[in-house]
């Protein structure tokens, strides 16, 4: 809305053209997201459900979280939707992705409010339905935006783009989204951990979309495909980063509120969508390696044991942050700082490989 308003008003008032600048809009979105989340989330503390400790796997975590407002994701994800409608030039694809992000949040929030957990099978099925629907929307959106009508991947160690069959794309994208939703959800267990790792992921994606994929000269220099809509996607990403930072200010140890499934599931979905929109699924390692190691390996462990009777990591507790606290004696601050350092080191290494070794 602001972009189109700036285009109209600049003929009457020159400075209004600033509203057509993506750099200005990104700044507006980031700061608006931060301050609105920071100010508004506390006003909903009394209306949010309160944690009963069932999300946590070790006693110390459960006791620390019990009684705190949870489900704060319903507030900051809704703020993300509102701000995006104001600042992001929308196509049907981006509008539907924003809507599905909110829908993913809603499924988590209803579970947060429920006195009885929905159960992993029901939530897993809902995740799969949303993931497949989002994959179809994203595929056809990218296909229509492509100059030759073909969706392609650009991947490490290959200098050219690879055309992707729609069925293959939907399968890869659906698996990516489902894994990202559930891994991010499992990572939410130590104050500030999930939101810090998510912030790193979002800022990484925002930089990639705006400064690399969205910039024709830099993309050409790095031999990666130029993504004409890169700045628009970056604007959405920085909007999400802003609201997450506002929440993180309140969630830093010792936390005053928790995002709940409402926040973690929507954030995992959104990160997965942005990675697939970039055209390089391997970027998930630059954004979310520690999220997948921390939360995703636990899902793999349970899946192999339950369905194939294969035992792995028998002596490792998952989510991994529980293992580090219970078995290694790490404090919540140590978990946060060390996981953050590891993710930053991995991000730099993976970006070097993805961008240069092609």
């Amino acid at each position: 809305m602001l972009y189109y308003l700036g285009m109209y008003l600049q003929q009457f008032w020159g400075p209004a053209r600033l509203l057509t600048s993506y750099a200005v809009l990104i700044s507006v979105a980031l700061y608006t997201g931060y301050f609105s989340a920071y100010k508004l989330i506390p006003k909903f503390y009394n209306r949010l459900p309160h944690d009963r400790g069932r999300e946590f796997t070790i006693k110390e975590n459960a006791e620390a979280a019990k009684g705190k407002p949870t489900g704060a994701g319903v507030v900051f994800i809704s703020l993300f939707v509102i701000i995006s409608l104001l600042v992001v030039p929308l196509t049907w694809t981006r509008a539907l992705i924003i809507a599905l992000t909110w829908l993913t949040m809603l499924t988590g929030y209803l579970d947060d409010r429920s006195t009885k957990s929905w159960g992993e099978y029901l939530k897993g099925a809902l995740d799969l339905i949303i993931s497949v629907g989002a994959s179809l929307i994203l595929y056809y959106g990218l296909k229509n935006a492509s100059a030759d009508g073909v969706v392609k991947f650009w991947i490490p160690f290959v200098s050219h783009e690879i055309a992707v069959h729609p069925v293959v794309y939907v399968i890869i994208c659906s698996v990516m989204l489902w894994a990202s939703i559930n891994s991010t959800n499992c990572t939410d267990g130590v104050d500030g951990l999930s939101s810090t790792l998510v912030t790193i992921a979002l800022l990484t994606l925002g930089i990639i979309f705006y400064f690399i994929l969205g910039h024709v000269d830099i993309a050409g220099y790095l031999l990666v495909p130029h993504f004409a809509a890169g700045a628009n996607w970056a604007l959405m990403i920085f909007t999400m980063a802003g609201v997450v930072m506002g929440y993180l200010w309140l969630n830093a140890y010792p936390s005053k509120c928790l995002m709940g499934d409402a926040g973690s599931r929507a954030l995992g979905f959104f990160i997965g969508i942005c990675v697939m929109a970039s055209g390089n699924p391997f970027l998930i390692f630059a954004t979310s390696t520690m999220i997948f190691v921390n939360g995703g390996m636990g899902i793999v462990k349970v899946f192999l044991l339950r369905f194939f009777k294969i035992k792995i990591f028998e002596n490792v507790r998952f989510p991994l942050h529980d293992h580090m606290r219970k078995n290694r004696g790490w404090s919540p601050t140590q978990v946060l700082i060390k996981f953050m350092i590891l993710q930053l080191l991995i991000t730099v290494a993976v970006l070097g490989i993805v961008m240069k070794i092609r």
Side-chain angles (χ1 to χ4, degrees), residues 125-164:
L126 290 173
D127 294 340
L128 184 59
I129 292 170
I130 292 173
S131 297
V132 172
S135 300
L136 290 167
I137 290 169
L138 189 59
Y139 176 83
Y140 285 104
L142 295 174
K143 180 177 182 291
N144 292 334
S146 174
D148 54 6
V150 178
V151 177
K152 300 175 182 177
F153 284 157
W154 56 279
I155 59 177
F157 313 115
V158 178
S159 60
H160 59 277
E161 296 177 71
I162 300 174
V164 186

Side-chain angles (χ1 to χ4, degrees), residues 38-215:
Y38 170 69
K39 289 293 186 180
L40 291 178
I41 290 176
K43 296 184 182 300
F44 288 86
Y45 283 171
N46 292 331
R47 299 184 181 183
L48 292 173
H50 287 71
D51 187 83
R52 295 178 294 277
R54 61 187 171 88
E55 294 90 344
F56 299 90
T57 57
I58 63 176
K59 184 178 179 181
E60 299 86 79
N61 282 3
E63 290 302 318
K66 194 171 182 179
K68 291 182 180 179
T70 189
V74 71
V75 181
F76 68 76
I77 295 297
S78 296
L79 288 172
F80 159 74
V81 172
I82 294 169
I83 297 170
S84 294
L85 293 176
L86 290 175
V87 302
V88 180
L90 293 176
T91 61
W92 278 110
T93 300
R94 289 192 287 276
L96 288 172
I97 292 303
I98 291 171
L100 284 176
T101 302
W102 192 86
L103 180 62
T104 307
M105 176 278 297
L106 183 62
T107 63
Y109 179 68
L110 292 176
D111 184 45
D112 289 334
R113 290 202 68 90
S114 176
T115 55
K116 183 179 179 181
S117 175
W118 284 12
E120 56 191 39
Y121 290 115
L122 175 57
K123 289 189 286 187
L126 290 173
D127 294 340
L128 184 59
I129 292 170
I130 292 173
S131 297
V132 172
S135 300
L136 290 167
I137 290 169
L138 189 59
Y139 176 83
Y140 285 104
L142 295 174
K143 180 177 182 291
N144 292 334
S146 174
D148 54 6
V150 178
V151 177
K152 300 175 182 177
F153 284 157
W154 56 279
I155 59 177
F157 313 115
V158 178
S159 60
H160 59 277
E161 296 177 71
I162 300 174
V164 186
H165 190 277
V167 174
V168 174
Y169 184 92
V170 170
I171 291 173
I172 293 174
C173 188
S174 298
V175 171
M176 173 78 76
L177 295 178
W178 192 93
S180 186
I181 290 170
N182 287 278
S183 296
T184 307
N185 186 33
C186 291
T187 298
D188 186 29
V190 172
D191 289 349
L193 177 61
S194 181
S195 44
T196 296
L197 294 178
V198 165
T199 299
I200 293 173
L202 292 171
L203 294 178
T204 300
L205 285 166
I207 291 169
I208 290 171
F209 273 95
Y210 185 70
F211 290 101
I212 298 176
L213 300 181
H215 195 292

